[in-house]
Every structure is written in C-alpha cells, then in structure tokens.
Amino acid sequence: METDELKGLRERALAQAAAAESLAALEQVRIAYLGRKGKIPALLKKLGQLPAEERREAGKVLNQLKRELAGLIEKRVGQLSSGEVRDEGRFDYTLPGAWRGLGTRHPVSRVIEEAVGIFRRLGFEVAEGPDVETEYYNFDALNTPEDHPSRDIQDTFYLESGGLLRTHTSPVQVRHMERHRPPVRIVAAGRCYRRDVPDATHSTNFHQIEGLYVNKRVSMSELKSDLAFFARELMGRKVQVRFRPHFFPFTEPSVEVDFSCHACGGKGCRLCKRSGWIEIAGAGMVDPSVLEAVDYDPEEYTGYAFGMGIERIAMIMFGINDIRLFYENDRRFLEQFGW
Ligand code: PHE
C-alpha cells in the first residue's frame, strides 16, 4: 500500500464529509468509506497480505483515518440537524411560505355570534331545537291551529315522514319550556325555512334568533329596554328602537320592532325605503295559551318573546342589498365581512 494512495484516500474522504450538505449525502459518504463494503474496511482486510513492517504502518494510518472520519461525520450530523449549516443552494428559506387560504367566518355566523354574545351579557342562556319540526311545535303549541290564516304566510316544506322544516325559531320556546320551570331566559339561533319565492329580500332558507323570558311579572317595558340595549350594543349608541302594533298568534299584545336606519341615521334613504326605519323583529308578550300548553300558570307567570331575522341585521350592518348573496359561497363576497 503506497503512502501516497492512503494520503489521497484520506483527503478525499474528509473533503467529501465536510462538503456533504444534507444528512442523506453524509450517509452516502459514511457508507462509501466506513460501511461494511466501504473503502476503509476493504483496505483493512488486505493488510494481511502485506509484509510485517508495511502492515503496521498502513494499519496505523487506516485506523486513524477511520476514527478521524467517523468523528467528522458525527460533527456534521450535529450541524446539519440543528440547522447550523443551511442548504442554501437548493432551498431559499427567505421566500414567503405557501398561503393556505384560511377562510373567514360567514357574515351570518358573525352576526349570530355577536347577537348571542350581547344577550348572554343580559343573562340569557343558549337553547337549541331541530330544523325538522313537527306541526305541533311549529304551529299548534304556538296557538296556530290547522285552520288559522297565519299558517298561510308561513307555508313550508312538508316531509314524507310527517315532519316539516321549521318556519321560525319559535318552536324552541315551547321545547324549552316543556323541560324547564320558570324563570326561563333563553336565546336560540338557527336556520328557518319558508316556501317563499326568492328575491332580493326573500329566501327559502334564512336564519332567526329567538328570545324568550318568562318569570313573575315580566312586562313589555323589559322587552323594550332589552331590545334597545341590544340595538345599541350592536349598532352604536345613536340607534333608536320603535314598536308598531302587529299580530302574532303566540303573543298578545304583539309588535313589530324597527331600528332606525343605520345607513342614513333615520333621515330616509334607499335601504330603508325612505322611511328612516328598518323592520328587524317580531315580538310581544307570550300568549297565555302558549303558557298553558306547557303547563305554566298564566296567572302566575308572564313573559316576552321576540324573533329577529339574522340576514336582515347583517344586511343593515354591512350594507348588503341582496339576501341571495349570503348563499352563493362566493369567497370574494364572504371575505369582506368575516374575521
Ligand atoms: N316567529 C315570528 C316570525 O317568524 C317572530 C316572533 C317571535 C314574534 C316571537 C313574536 C314572538 O315571524
């Protein structure tokens, strides 16, 4: 074995280990020189054929190289795995990362969350009910028997199973009162369905948030002050609230609730159809027949209830002029209102 040959081997081995820029490349160097079929073990095997003098000298050099190379590889493994040396040639780590396109909250979800948050601060609990309802909960228990004309304006989709898609969130009132004794103070938000012809303000599918408060001596002034608080929290201090007489089978007296128009401050504009007011909710004092249907004594308890259209509120808050935009899943639209 020539000394020059061994010197050349040593230089190449150490240079390759120092130049390896990845753990995989380093492993290749290790296998080539130190592996079972590597260059150094092969030479060590040949030592036996050498004369004693030469064998000792070559053996010393080879074993030293073995330790030196193993030590260098170990050091480089440490550097490469701690990122001390970066593979700058192939990977530019200063480039911006890949944008994964995270979504935003849907404007309907956003309004629901804000509205529920405000009512929770007023001591309301959150309740829920199913989208597929029975005629009993959607109509009968709410004082709307089969031949009542109110059923006509809330026509819906009837299922072959006998159920129907709820036309409002009011059935949650009944379901909750059946299982709880007064006082009850709940809000329930969710999807509703009606057999309406879609246009800029109508959709067969929309959302409501229902409120119900039953206790001893609940009065209409509490309904008004709670809704006024809600309006101001949601829209700012300047918003006004007005009640207009109305009719619902399940409240008596009944009102429709308007907020002063957010866009024009009540002066009158296109959004509020020049009236300065926008209809937001139906509400009223819970009809005694509804309390009786859930075994509450109407002599002992009174309550108020309201139901608000979520899309309505979102349209005013964000200046959206067509309800159908909510359901088209166009991210260019949706991303403007979420967070
Ligand atoms: N459920 C009624 C509707 O959808 C709104 C309402 C709720 C009215 C509660 C009074 C009390 O039109």
Side-chain angles (χ1 to χ4, degrees), residues 117-318:
I118 294 167
F119 284 113
R120 285 173 71 108
R121 279 191 274 136
L122 284 174
F124 285 80
E125 286 175 74
V126 174
E128 265 184 344
D131 287 17
V132 175
E133 264 300 357
T134 61
E135 229 173 296
Y136 176 76
Y137 286 114
N138 198 79
F139 293 122
D140 300 86
L142 290 165
N143 198 30
T144 315
E146 176 137 37
D147 55 358
H148 198 289
S150 276
R151 283 208 185 190
D152 294 348
I153 49 170
Q154 293 202 8
D155 197 8
T156 184
F157 301 90
Y158 290 82
L159 307 179
E160 277 172 12
S161 61
L164 55 81
L165 298 181
R166 66 178 179 189
T167 58
H168 49 184
T169 41
S170 300
V172 185
Q173 291 183 30
V174 181
R175 287 182 177 274
H176 189 84
M177 286 191 287
E178 275 183 346
R179 289 150 165 262
H180 298 86
R181 298 299 304 166
V184 299
R185 193 163 167 87
I186 54 151
V187 279
R191 220 175 255 276
C192 304
Y193 309 79
R194 284 187 201 177
R195 197 186 156 281
D196 280 339
V197 178
D199 64 20
T201 55
H202 292 84
S203 167
T204 51
N205 177 203
F206 57 100
H207 297 74
Q208 285 189 339
I209 179 165
E210 190 84 10
L212 172 72
Y213 175 42
V214 181
N215 204 347
K216 290 186 174 148
R217 289 199 294 275
V218 175
S219 72
M220 198 134 181
S221 69
E222 278 167 282
L223 171 63
K224 197 164 185 187
S225 63
D226 284 354
L227 287 179
F229 176 83
F230 170 77
R232 283 201 297 271
E233 288 295 296
L234 196 69
M235 312 285 227
R237 300 209 58 81
K238 286 201 201 112
V239 69
Q240 306 269 327
V241 176
R242 101 179 160 180
F243 280 13
R244 278 178 292 113
H246 197 69
F247 174 82
F248 295 104
F250 36 91
T251 45
E252 178 60 34
S254 301
V255 292
E256 276 191 323
V257 184
D258 298 340
F259 289 3
S260 57
C261 179
H262 194 51
C264 62
K267 286 193 211 76
C269 68
R270 274 234 313 267
L271 192 64
C272 58
K273 300 197 184 88
R274 315 239 155 259
S275 73
W277 297 93
I278 292 179
E279 184 195 319
I280 293 285
M285 301 307 293
V286 180
D287 194 287
S289 61
V290 176
L291 296 175
E292 270 163 12
V294 294
D295 266 337
Y296 285 12
D297 180 358
E299 297 296 327
E300 197 180 350
Y301 296 107
T302 55
Y304 72 61
F306 58 82
M308 298 192 276
I310 300 288
E311 283 85 348
R312 262 288 164 83
I313 295 174
M315 287 169 82
I316 300 169
M317 277 174 68
F318 305 129

